[in-house]
Amino acid sequence: MTTSNSTVAKLDKASQNTYDALIVGAGFAGMYMLYQLRSLGFTAKVIEAGDGVGGTWYWNRYPGARCDVWSMEYSYQFSEELQQEWVWSQKYAPQPEILKYANHVADRFDLRKDIIFNTKVLSAKYIEETKIWTIKTDDNQVFNSQFCIMATGCLSTPNKPKFKGIDDFKGPWYHTGQWPHEGVDFTGKRVGIIGTGSSAIQSIPVIAEQAEQLFVFQRTANYTIPAHNKDLDLDFINEIKMDYQGLRDRAKLNRGGTAALRLNEVNAVDVSEEDRIQQYEKRWEEGGVPFMGSFQDLLLNPDSNKTAADFVKSKIDEIVNDPKVAELLKPKNIIGCKRLCVDTNYYQTFNQSHVNLIDVSETKIDSITEKGIKVGEYEYEVDAIVFATGFDAMTGALKNIDIIGTNNQTLNNKWEDGPRMYLGLLAKGFPNLFTITGPGSPSVLSNMLPSIEQHVDWISQCIQYLNDNNLTQIEPTIEAEEEWISHVNEVAGKSLRSTCDSWYVGANIAGKPRVFMPYIGGVPAYREKCEEIVSKGYEGFNLT
Ligand code: NAP
């Protein structure tokens, strides 16, 4: 199929910057979207704020950054050649290796020629008369396209808390999500790090190796499970590659979209304490997020959850020498409510005499001063500050773009009380505006790579369908959207995961409406729903 046959022929093709589709973001989602649309014969451009591909892995270059999904599964599967030729070095790949992989993919499929780097999308407006999206960028360019696809990522808008006095600080400060590309040398420095989420838990042990003094400012202690990361041996890699499809198929049947996350289909409260501890010990030794698969009811029954939480707390007691520090490191929340962290030597790091844990749970950080960080009356003098304070998750990047749909409605307005989408893919009032791994899809509760691929495949198939059937527009009905949102809320309500102040519910951002944003019903149920809708001629959508 060529562009001249496509529905976009209605666009004035003589005008510059006019494409079938505009894609925002050149992370793993944007790159594969571009590849797919080009393969189908559509014209597409990607607009990317950074000067390179890789999204999350382009921006998050903090010390110790690595993925906590098995590298053999945190990779594309759309090309058998690609997955056969790429060799991952470790069980959990470090950020530089994942970024190298993203660059390899961009080169291998010649993607760069259709990516516009160093350019930020400021607005996207749907022109109802022509059914065209007009997209404006920070360098005053204007693009027109029939389809606009947001590949803007779920954790891409850094949350920089507005601490009083930040401008007075004389030293450098960094956010983990926007780390300098040239790296930072903390040798001989006194460093303060604010936050103890996944990013901090990965970076603290590495920064501690360099820093002369490290002050960790902890507001909420988090659970973390050792990664037990290791080099992958070639025999293991080759064994997987002999039946890569088998591994991918098993992953599709798993709630989290990863074959590594095997669920023990037994309730924690139904087994003896001895058996429980044995299971937890085994999972602790295996390491990482699969710990939460120890028993099937950990996120359903508070009593079961407590057994897993107590186990991790007993490990903290074993590892940390100073009982007062151990006590402070023990989380008070239920385990798995906030995203479980995965570490290398996190708790051990607090046994080093130059590492200090500062509790800011009751006496909060008061301000940043010229010399450091003030908590109550006490000023901690530091040479550099690291903000590991997370992201405005899932909606932040979309809300930062001025998106205007039909009847001049803005997305910000529509989402005033929380994100409203059908399947996390499209929103009523915003025709032909797709979001990859948007709110209401498994996204951050799943292995992101296969979830990205599933969305990209669905969107490309949909665009192809519209084109083949001489249709120009797709938009969900309000009934379908509302029904899906009710379902998303209903399943979230059954899980203990929706009960604490996490970024899943937007609690980390002041004023953000409290809504459990991702779909917790699991990857298999979600995939089935997406496929069923297509088989019923895009049920729940108006096609015009
Ligand atoms: P995060 O989990 O949101 O953690 C932010 C931390 O900053 C929390 O400890 C938070 O404390 C603290 N904080 C925020 N504002 C503060 C303030 N004003 N004063 C004191 N403390 C403050 O962010 P993240 O660590 O960047 O991780 C975000 C997500 O990214 C993860 O959950 C994960 O999904 C993803 N991620 C994945 C990996 C991986 O694959 N290995 C690595 C890094 C990140 P409170 O809890 O009290 O709010």
Side-chain angles (χ1 to χ4, degrees):
M1 195 205 65
T2 64
T3 309
S4 58
N5 290 334
S6 76
T7 49
V8 87
K10 294 177 190 68
L11 281 172
D12 176 9
K13 286 190 285 151
S15 74
Q16 251 193 333
N17 288 350
T18 299
Y19 303 95
D20 290 331
L22 243 293
I23 302 161
V24 187
F28 283 116
M31 288 203 292
Y32 180 45
M33 193 73 243
L34 173 63
Y35 170 84
Q36 274 291 36
L37 287 176
R38 272 198 342 207
S39 316
L40 292 169
F42 295 101
T43 59
K45 282 278 174 206
V46 180
I47 304 178
E48 164 60 50
D51 69 3
V53 298
T56 284
W57 304 103
Y58 170 91
W59 298 103
N60 286 267
R61 303 179 189 225
Y62 59 83
R66 66 174 69 248
C67 189
D68 59 8
V69 174
W70 283 17
S71 49
M72 296 293 288
E73 294 201 71
Y74 191 83
S75 51
Y76 287 124
Q77 56 191 292
F78 70 84
S79 160
E80 182 60 17
E81 296 77 20
L82 173 67
Q83 68 177 0
Q84 286 296 334
E85 76 198 10
W86 186 263
V87 181
W88 291 106
S89 69
Q90 295 184 336
K91 177 176 162 188
Y92 298 112
Q95 173 272 333
E97 189 171 343
I98 304 175
L99 188 59
K100 197 169 153 200
Y101 172 73
N103 278 290
H104 169 74
V105 172
D107 293 336
R108 195 188 190 288
F109 299 103
D110 196 15
L111 299 178
R112 283 179 220 280
K113 66 179 184 205
D114 287 319
I115 304 177
I116 302 161
F117 291 106
N118 297 309
T119 306
K120 236 181 174 163
V121 170
L122 299 181
S123 68
K125 182 171 168 51
Y126 192 62
I127 313 294
E128 290 182 59
E129 298 73 47
T130 53
K131 298 192 181 353
I132 296 300
W133 280 95
T134 294
I135 287 117
K136 293 188 180 162
T137 60
D138 62 348
D139 57 355
N140 295 319
Q141 291 196 74
V142 179
F143 296 83
N144 293 307
S145 65
Q146 184 183 0
F147 301 101
C148 180
I149 302 163
M150 295 296 175
T152 40
C154 296
L155 294 155
S156 50
T157 305
N159 168 35
K160 294 179 202 153
K162 295 177 185 65
F163 288 109
K164 200 167 63 185
I166 179 80
D167 294 333
D168 300 336
F169 184 58
K170 289 277 183 260
W173 58 265
Y174 314 93
H175 190 284
T176 48
Q178 282 180 336
W179 203 257
H181 290 193
E182 62 281 10
V184 180
D185 184 4
F186 289 116
T187 307
K189 298 269 192 310
R190 296 164 305 169
V191 181
I193 180 164
I194 299 176
T196 47
S198 298
S199 303
I201 281 176
Q202 286 187 332
S203 54
I204 284 165
V206 185
I207 295 176
E209 284 171 18
Q210 284 186 349
E212 188 186 288
Q213 285 285 319
L214 181 61
F215 299 93
V216 177
F217 295 84
Q218 173 186 275
R219 189 166 66 182
T220 310
N222 266 309
Y223 294 91
T224 175
I225 307 296
H228 296 309
N229 192 26
K230 59 181 182 193
D231 289 344
L232 292 179
D233 71 69
L234 269 179
D235 288 345
F236 172 80
I237 292 175
N238 290 336
E239 201 184 306
I240 288 194
K241 286 187 175 175
M242 271 165 60
D243 182 23
Y244 225 137
Q245 193 52 48
L247 182 83
R248 303 298 197 178
D249 289 344
R250 287 197 298 285
K252 284 184 187 130
L253 297 175
N254 178 278
R255 284 176 68 83
T258 147
L261 235 172
R262 286 164 297 101
L263 180 68
N264 179 21
E265 289 173 358
V266 175
N267 293 331
V269 284
D270 291 344
V271 300
S272 68
E273 176 156 10
E274 197 187 345
D275 287 352
R276 250 192 329 258
I277 300 293
Q278 200 182 17
Q279 176 69 217
Y280 290 141
E281 284 288 0
K282 193 174 116 218
R283 297 271 177 161
W284 181 269
E285 276 320 303
E286 280 170 17
V289 176
F291 182 83
M292 284 310 289
S294 299
F295 294 100
Q296 65 181 3
D297 60 342
L298 293 185
L299 285 170
L300 297 172
N301 180 346
D303 293 337
S304 301
N305 189 282
K306 187 171 180 310
T307 65
D310 286 347
F311 175 83
V312 176
K313 289 176 193 172
S314 73
K315 287 289 179 192
I316 298 174
D317 278 333
E318 263 175 42
I319 299 168
V320 179
N321 298 337
D322 182 337
K324 277 198 203 125
V325 177
E327 214 45 45
L328 269 183
L329 287 169
K330 288 181 195 167
K332 297 191 174 61
N333 281 323
I334 60 165
I335 186 168
C337 192
K338 290 195 178 212
R339 170 101 157 31
L340 191 66
C341 303
V342 179
D343 72 281
T344 298
N345 292 332
Y346 179 66
Y347 294 127
Q348 289 84 342
T349 299
F350 291 92
N351 290 334
Q352 300 176 36
S353 57
H354 70 297
V355 178
N356 312 281
L357 184 63
I358 319 296
D359 176 18
V360 293
S361 62
E362 277 167 26
T363 309
K364 308 271 184 254
I365 294 174
D366 168 75
S367 56
I368 308 290
T369 66
E370 209 175 288
K371 292 188 190 151
I373 298 168
K374 198 161 167 246
V375 180
E377 289 308 302
Y378 199 86
E379 186 180 20
Y380 295 87
E381 292 191 11
V382 293
D383 302 308
I385 300 175
V386 175
F387 292 98
T389 45
F391 302 88
D392 184 353
M394 304 213 67
T395 54
L398 292 165
K399 291 183 92 174
N400 277 346
I401 301 173
D402 186 18
I403 301 174
I404 305 171
T406 54
N407 300 319
N408 267 329
Q409 187 188 19
T410 65
L411 192 74
N412 276 327
N413 234 322
K414 179 176 167 106
W415 285 10
E416 218 169 27
D417 298 325
R420 306 191 71 77
M421 296 193 89
Y422 187 30
L423 301 166
L425 277 163
L426 286 127
K428 165 75 180 156
F430 299 83
N432 294 355
L433 180 89
F434 296 94
T435 299
I436 301 173
T437 62
S441 72
S443 55
V444 291
L445 296 178
S446 67
N447 180 3
M448 284 302 283
L449 256 286
S451 285
I452 283 170
E453 283 186 304
Q454 186 248 339
H455 265 192
V456 170
D457 292 342
W458 194 96
I459 295 167
S460 340
Q461 194 187 351
C462 174
I463 291 177
Q464 177 81 66
Y465 179 88
L466 294 175
N467 187 67
D468 291 350
N469 292 282
N470 237 344
L471 297 161
T472 50
Q473 183 179 285
I474 180 165
E475 183 185 6
T477 65
I478 194 69
E479 294 78 20
E481 186 175 277
E482 281 177 359
E483 207 178 300
W484 181 250
I485 293 167
S486 306
H487 174 61
V488 170
N489 290 336
E490 189 198 324
V491 285
K494 288 181 189 156
S495 168
L496 297 177
R497 235 175 183 157
S498 59
T499 58
C500 68
D501 289 343
S502 67
W503 59 257
Y504 292 129
V505 296
N508 62 330
I509 303 294
K512 197 165 171 172
R514 193 186 177 102
V515 173
F516 193 84
M517 294 180 285
Y519 177 58
I520 206 170
V523 165
Y526 179 79
R527 292 182 80 100
E528 199 181 306
K529 174 79 179 165
C530 289
E531 282 161 22
E532 183 192 305
I533 284 165
V534 175
S535 71
K536 291 184 176 166
Y538 291 90
E539 189 182 54
F541 289 100
N542 278 326
L543 309 183
T544 43

